[in-house]
Amino acid sequence: MDSLLSRCSASFFPSPLNRNDYNQIKAKSRFSLPSSSVNFGYYYSSGCRLCSSSSSGGLKIDCSTSPTMSSSASPETTKPKVVTGPGGYVLQDVPHLSDYIPDLPVYTNPLQDNPAYSVVKQYFVHVDDTVPQKIVVHKDSPRGVHFRRAGPRQKVYFHSDDVHACIVTCGGLCPGLNTVIREIVCGLYHMYGVKKVLGIDGGYRGFYAKNTVHLDPKVVNDIHKRGGTILGTSRGGHDTSKIVDSIQDRGINQVYIIGGDGTQRGASVIFEEVRRRGLKVSVVGIPKTIDNDVPVIDKSFGFDTAVEEAQRAINAAHVEAESFENGIGLVKLMGRYSGFIAMYATLASRDVDCCLIPESPFYLEGPGGLFEYIERRLKENGHMVLVIAEGAGQELLAESTSQKDASGNKLLQDVALWVSQRIKDHFSKDRKMTINLKYIDPTYMIRAIPSNASDNVYCTLLAQSAVHGAMAGYTGYTSGLVNGRQTYIPFYRITETQNHVVITDRMWARLLSSTNQPSFLHPKDIIEDKFDEEPACPLLDNGNCAPN
């Protein structure tokens, strides 16, 4: 499949695809390409279009991108690179350097001579290996969307001595950042013999405003035992032209960008500018968000550590609440737009009586409200523990703000502190009931700790997969876990939306049954939510939706 796709970019200028070209492509492909249904048209260096009719059941390749532009042209976003096959198979592929640079030299992968890999039964990932996004299907369901499987390839597009890589961390802190940095450096060094790796100091603006840091296995040897990032980080500072100028001036040809959805959007723009200039530079993203709100992937690194550490705060809140008459322990956890940490920490703890997250609206007063529930729990148990994600209940605050931070995130009001004060006022003034409320905010403590064992292993897999993909010539992608398999996901899938807790899903129902809290939803709301959360149907060969 790689040879098929790379063949479509043999020239910087439009060229006719003649029948000899078609026969060569067909011979190299394991898919059926019926000649009667192929359009022998034009193709461009930045992509190809080789289509069959949906009725034939053959392969349909649409590496549809805009024609390569000169450096003076305005930048244009690359269109998705999609391959479709029989049975409703859809591969949302990632770009390759050969899509826009012709006649790239290819080298034998040095891993085949690496003693560490001598025990591996199969060294390399097959070029046609893909991973399905949806694994729960019916017997007559279409095969659906797939992503390219991550891993080492038999041929690489960089000679080890020519690689000059750089690593940058952006956005907020998260457990595991140093582990990812370490494993990228060690992966490049030990697996591929790459000796030139730079660390960009202080986020995106470090490309043009700060010094770089030389990285090698000795420098990064024990950094995984520390929290934070040895490279420093920042929000904002994204100046595409200056960043790519710096990449070009320093001779960097592999860029590893670690950050959340905003950072990945920046990485996508960098990739587009690199492609526009025709540079042989692989731009690779590694998704980082402690909130676990990056779409498509199973989870983000640092999430397991955050949930585990949140237990300490919840345990402390429970001890405080249990030790006083009418004690209330209120814990604020991360979760700007997604309440995964609060939900999973609540389920893991079993000491929480109520969990409030951004996806589930709630109200304070009146029948079925939060105040009524708190009073009932205090009368039943004598104490209660309340967990609030930082983005929950923002609509309840009178003082809304339109201000944003340097990353473009809306600045949130401290709803947990506001709710704690409202609870005190309600029971002291309205109900004449003495309570003892303890407010605990461990958010920055959780962000700053080193990753646990589970996240360390996950960070290793993410980093090594990113390195394998860059060496194989892939670019414009994010390394991520999909259904337990490491994959390469195009940037646009990572940045198009955010991952949210579905409050009509079974996992949220498990939480409600654990805490016995009210859902704060009316039956009408539940019906509407179920309708809104109906999953998008997979595409068939003809572009139409498959029947349910």
Side-chain angles (χ1 to χ4, degrees):
M1 181 61 67
D2 287 350
S3 60
L4 174 63
L5 297 178
S6 62
R7 175 63 188 88
C8 298
S9 54
S11 172
F12 270 99
F13 300 95
S15 310
L17 178 63
N18 57 42
R19 190 164 294 276
N20 289 334
D21 291 330
Y22 164 76
N23 289 332
Q24 292 177 13
I25 293 175
K26 181 178 179 181
K28 292 181 180 180
S29 174
R30 54 184 267 186
F31 287 88
S32 172
L33 296 176
S35 59
S36 60
S37 59
V38 174
N39 176 20
F40 295 94
Y42 287 92
Y43 61 95
Y44 295 88
S45 66
S46 57
C48 60
R49 185 169 185 82
L50 183 59
C51 305
S52 67
S53 63
S54 58
S55 60
S56 68
L59 181 67
K60 177 183 178 183
I61 301 173
D62 183 10
C63 322
S64 55
T65 55
S66 305
T68 301
M69 296 173 291
S70 66
S71 59
S72 59
S74 59
E76 188 172 337
T77 303
T78 305
K79 295 179 182 177
K81 184 176 177 181
V82 178
V83 178
T84 60
Y89 173 89
V90 178
L91 169 62
Q92 293 184 344
D93 206 357
V94 296
H96 195 274
L97 293 173
S98 60
D99 293 344
Y100 64 92
I101 303 177
D103 304 323
L104 283 174
V106 180
Y107 309 94
T108 301
N109 195 322
L111 276 178
Q112 67 183 25
D113 301 319
N114 190 316
Y117 276 74
S118 62
V119 298
V120 180
K121 186 176 182 180
Q122 182 180 346
Y123 281 175
F124 306 112
V125 173
H126 193 281
V127 294
D128 287 338
D129 280 359
T130 59
V131 178
Q133 182 178 3
K134 183 179 179 182
I135 58 174
V136 179
V137 297
H138 300 158
K139 62 181 181 180
D140 55 350
S141 298
R143 295 174 65 189
V145 173
H146 289 61
F147 300 106
R148 189 168 289 279
R149 184 185 175 191
R153 265 54 180 179
Q154 192 165 8
K155 299 294 183 181
V156 295
Y157 283 75
F158 290 93
H159 192 280
S160 301
D161 295 337
D162 299 332
V163 174
H164 190 188
C166 75
I167 307 170
V168 62
T169 55
C170 305
L173 295 183
C174 176
L177 280 169
N178 279 335
T179 306
V180 175
I181 295 169
R182 182 189 190 278
E183 296 309 317
I184 292 175
V185 174
C186 291
L188 286 167
Y189 193 95
H190 295 306
M191 293 191 296
Y192 289 97
V194 173
K195 302 297 192 294
K196 294 181 288 186
V197 185
L198 289 178
I200 305 299
D201 184 15
Y204 276 135
R205 60 171 50 89
F207 276 101
Y208 55 86
K210 293 192 176 184
N211 295 326
T212 58
V213 181
H214 171 71
L215 299 176
D216 59 38
K218 186 175 181 180
V219 172
V220 302
N221 182 52
D222 62 351
I223 64 173
H224 61 292
K225 301 175 183 177
R226 292 180 252 161
T229 165
I230 64 165
L231 299 179
T233 185
S234 66
R235 298 187 184 277
H238 190 283
D239 187 314
T240 306
S241 180
K242 289 183 179 179
I243 291 172
V244 179
D245 285 346
S246 176
I247 291 170
Q248 193 168 4
D249 293 344
R250 297 176 190 272
I252 294 170
N253 51 23
Q254 289 185 11
V255 182
Y256 297 92
I257 301 173
I258 311 169
D261 55 350
T263 300
Q264 300 304 312
R265 279 192 289 271
S268 178
V269 175
I270 291 172
F271 157 69
E272 296 293 345
E273 178 63 15
V274 164
R275 182 189 65 84
R276 188 183 71 81
R277 298 189 189 188
L279 304 178
K280 185 186 177 183
V281 178
S282 285
V283 181
V284 182
I286 298 177
K288 178 248 8 161
T289 167
I290 201 168
D291 292 346
N292 198 39
D293 58 1
V294 171
V296 181
I297 63 175
D298 294 353
K299 64 178 180 179
S300 53
F301 74 83
F303 175 70
D304 283 352
T305 305
V307 171
E308 184 177 302
E309 189 66 16
Q311 301 302 296
R312 298 178 184 271
I314 293 174
N315 291 341
H318 183 249
V319 169
E320 287 284 351
E322 201 174 33
S323 300
F324 291 89
E325 181 183 3
N326 292 331
I328 301 175
L330 193 153
V331 181
K332 174 186 174 182
L333 294 177
M334 288 82 63
R336 177 179 291 273
Y337 304 114
S338 302
F340 287 102
I341 292 179
M343 180 175 71
Y344 276 82
T346 295
L347 281 168
S349 169
R350 301 294 175 176
D351 287 330
V352 179
D353 298 286
C354 185
C355 175
L356 304 175
I357 61 173
E359 296 90 338
S360 180
F362 65 94
Y363 54 96
L364 301 180
E365 300 176 293
L370 181 62
F371 291 158
E372 181 183 84
Y373 175 65
I374 292 174
E375 183 173 351
R376 186 171 76 246
R377 294 299 282 180
L378 291 178
K379 288 179 179 179
E380 292 172 352
N381 298 337
H383 67 278
M384 78 168 294
V385 176
L386 176 63
V387 169
I388 303 182
E390 62 179 322
Q394 290 293 316
E395 67 279 359
L396 299 178
L397 298 178
E399 297 180 5
S400 61
T401 177
S402 60
Q403 293 181 326
K404 296 183 178 182
D405 62 18
S407 296
N409 298 315
K410 183 179 178 181
L411 294 177
L412 302 179
Q413 301 291 326
D414 194 336
V415 70
L417 195 60
W418 177 79
V419 167
S420 67
Q421 188 59 51
R422 288 294 308 272
I423 292 173
K424 291 177 182 178
D425 293 342
H426 173 78
F427 285 99
S428 64
K429 297 177 182 179
D430 300 338
R431 305 300 294 175
K432 306 297 182 181
M433 182 177 176
T434 301
I435 64 169
N436 288 278
L437 188 146
K438 301 297 189 294
Y439 175 73
I440 299 175
D441 182 357
T443 52
Y444 289 101
M445 295 173 61
I446 293 174
R447 296 186 347 155
I449 65 172
S451 53
N452 64 12
S454 173
D455 272 323
N456 271 338
V457 173
Y458 185 30
C459 290
T460 300
L461 297 176
L462 285 172
Q464 291 187 0
S465 296
V467 168
H468 290 316
M471 293 298 297
Y474 294 113
T475 181
Y477 69 89
T478 293
S479 173
L481 192 71
V482 176
N483 293 320
R485 294 286 186 176
Q486 294 293 328
T487 64
Y488 299 140
I489 307 166
F491 278 141
Y492 71 89
R493 286 302 312 273
I494 294 295
T495 60
E496 66 185 358
T497 185
Q498 284 185 316
N499 193 25
H500 295 289
V501 174
V502 180
I503 60 174
T504 54
D505 188 56
R506 281 190 289 271
M507 186 60 75
W508 185 246
R510 294 184 183 106
L511 181 140
L512 295 180
S513 66
S514 171
T515 62
N516 292 313
Q517 71 187 67
S519 66
F520 302 109
L521 285 175
H522 298 291
K524 180 176 180 292
D525 297 326
I526 297 175
I527 294 172
E528 289 178 351
D529 281 349
K530 284 184 177 179
F531 180 79
D532 291 341
E533 295 297 336
E534 187 72 24
C537 56
L539 293 177
L540 297 177
D541 286 353
N542 59 9
N544 296 326
C545 286
N548 292 328

